[in-house]
Amino acid sequence: MPVPAEYVQSLHPYELRILLALERLMRRYTWVPFEILKSATGFSESELTYRLGRLINMDMVRYEKTPYDGYALIFDGYDTLALHTLTKRGTIQALGTRIGVGKESEVYEAMGLGVVVLKFHRVGQRSFQAVRLKRGYMPDTGHCPWIFASSNSAKMEYEALTALHPAVSVPLPIDQNRHVVVMSFIPGVNLTQATLTEPGPILDAILDNISEAYGLGIIHGDLSEFNVMVDQEGQCWLIDWPQWVETAHPNADEILARDIRNILQYFKRKYGIDYAFDEALARVVE
Ligand SMILES: Nc1ncnc2c1ncn2[C@@H]1O[C@H](COP(=O)(O)OP(=O)(O)OP(=O)(O)O)[C@@H](O)[C@H]1O
Ligand SMILES: [Mg+2]
């Protein structure tokens, strides 16, 4: 869970400096040695010990004793850095409630220019934790994988939204920092939670949006009923874009076919609509 917003606000400038130093040093160390952190920040031993203690209590930093005294940034600390930057830029003023959670992300409401959505990408969190458990047996290779994977995933999603909006019905991309994407809030529900009185036109609209994206050179890559939302006006929205591929991708045909099949199968199962795959594909790539 991201850190409470008040933690971000109450963070001492020295603590912020430590988090930033850790972020930088974790390119080289999985566990940053105390002495390295001391020279990177320029703090006295007692100051650094005190500030690290607070960061550990706030669950932003983890300490390991073996094989040597080392410190690592963990997700709450990384969340804090992103929230700090987004607040400083004026993109958001406050973090609200959690509205969604997936395998590799957490989605929150926030106050920006009106209500906005913050998607925290969390790629490799589980494997990172597994590595952490077995850490005693791992070589200290550095290159913290979850930081790169998660920020890369956020960049990918932001890139797709920027390329697609507004031609395709996707959330408006507002900002991105580290592993966080800020986008407009969609006042609707997931397709899986809706019972459509007129499913036919929604299916058509979904296919037309896939087609529009395809025309812009982009295939969703993880499309299913779970990544479509519908609003009160009956408009559909395609969300969750980090795994998009270009239409020039070597497996593009396969990936596009899977996206389309997932949607067709859902409308067949739930609404009994028989839309032939070939016809749907032709509509998309026309
Ligand atoms: N812009 C948005 N406006 C309103 N709700 C959103 C928005 N983006 C996401 N959500 C909600 O959050 C949920 C999760 O978002 P999303 O599908 O993007 O990520 P995810 O499914 O967690 O990712 P993963 O596929 O890695 O598990 C959505 O199903 C939806 O209910
Ligand atoms: Mg999803």
Side-chain angles (χ1 to χ4, degrees):
M1 196 189 72
V3 291
E6 18 349 323
Y7 275 18
V8 181
Q9 279 145 14
S10 72
L11 209 63
H12 189 276
Y14 285 4
E15 289 154 8
L16 187 63
R17 207 197 292 179
I18 294 171
L19 292 179
L20 287 166
L22 279 174
E23 180 186 37
R24 195 160 28 84
L25 289 163
M26 283 179 73
R27 283 184 215 138
R28 283 198 287 136
Y29 302 91
T30 306
W31 297 85
V32 181
F34 185 86
E35 285 305 319
I36 302 280
L37 202 51
K38 189 162 162 270
S39 58
T41 54
F43 297 151
S44 69
E45 181 154 342
S46 59
E47 181 72 50
L48 185 58
T49 306
Y50 170 70
R51 294 294 166 196
L52 280 169
R54 276 181 43 93
L55 291 168
I56 291 165
N57 281 339
M58 289 187 282
D59 248 338
M60 296 182 189
V61 169
R62 187 143 285 151
Y63 163 71
E64 279 288 328
K65 224 169 148 55
T66 50
Y68 57 83
D69 277 14
Y71 298 84
L73 192 64
I74 48 181
F75 259 112
D76 281 2
Y78 201 44
D79 290 352
T80 302
L81 288 175
L83 289 172
H84 177 81
T85 301
L86 291 169
T87 309
K88 212 169 64 183
R89 282 180 189 163
T91 303
I92 55 163
Q93 284 91 47
L95 188 64
T97 53
R98 189 166 78 177
I99 55 171
V101 58
K103 303 177 300 297
E104 299 197 307
S105 80
E106 276 182 273
V107 178
Y108 279 75
E109 273 180 355
M111 272 316 282
L113 277 177
V115 181
V116 298
V117 161
L118 256 58
K119 180 169 172 182
F120 292 79
H121 290 245
R122 308 216 182 281
V123 182
Q125 186 176 29
R126 284 194 195 124
S127 52
F128 169 67
Q129 278 163 353
V131 167
R132 190 152 49 72
L133 290 172
K134 286 189 275 176
R135 193 189 73 85
Y137 315 102
M138 298 278 299
D140 190 8
T141 49
H143 312 299
C144 186
W146 61 265
I147 288 188
F148 288 106
S150 302
S151 63
N152 193 49
S153 175
K155 275 190 199 98
M156 290 285 291
E157 177 152 44
Y158 191 74
E159 209 179 300
L161 296 179
T162 306
L164 297 172
H165 187 87
V168 181
S169 184
V170 297
L172 164 76
I174 296 170
D175 202 353
Q176 182 255 319
N177 180 255
R178 296 182 170 85
H179 60 319
V180 180
V181 175
V182 187
M183 60 185 126
S184 62
F185 175 79
I186 295 166
V189 296
N190 286 32
L191 194 53
T192 49
Q193 297 162 315
T195 301
L196 304 171
T197 42
E198 284 196 78
I202 294 281
L203 174 56
D204 290 343
I206 294 170
L207 293 172
D208 289 344
N209 276 292
I210 300 173
S211 175
E212 200 69 48
Y214 189 82
L216 292 167
I218 291 177
I219 300 169
H220 187 290
D222 188 29
L223 198 60
S224 71
E225 62 275 23
F226 299 103
N227 289 328
V228 177
M229 294 183 71
V230 283
D231 64 22
Q232 282 92 338
E233 272 95 61
Q235 192 183 343
C236 69
W237 301 79
L238 308 189
I239 60 164
D240 201 1
W241 288 84
Q243 52 282 305
W244 69 276
V245 297
E246 288 178 30
T247 47
H249 187 281
N251 300 331
D253 291 352
E254 218 175 285
I255 296 167
L256 177 67
R258 193 181 57 205
D259 278 359
I260 296 174
R261 280 214 170 84
N262 286 343
I263 296 296
L264 294 182
Q265 274 162 11
Y266 178 75
F267 277 84
K268 171 126 199 248
R269 208 165 58 235
K270 183 149 176 183
Y271 298 106
I273 296 180
D274 243 321
Y275 202 121
F277 172 77
D278 290 344
E279 205 182 308
L281 181 65
R283 182 174 185 145
V284 167
V285 302
E286 70 185 1

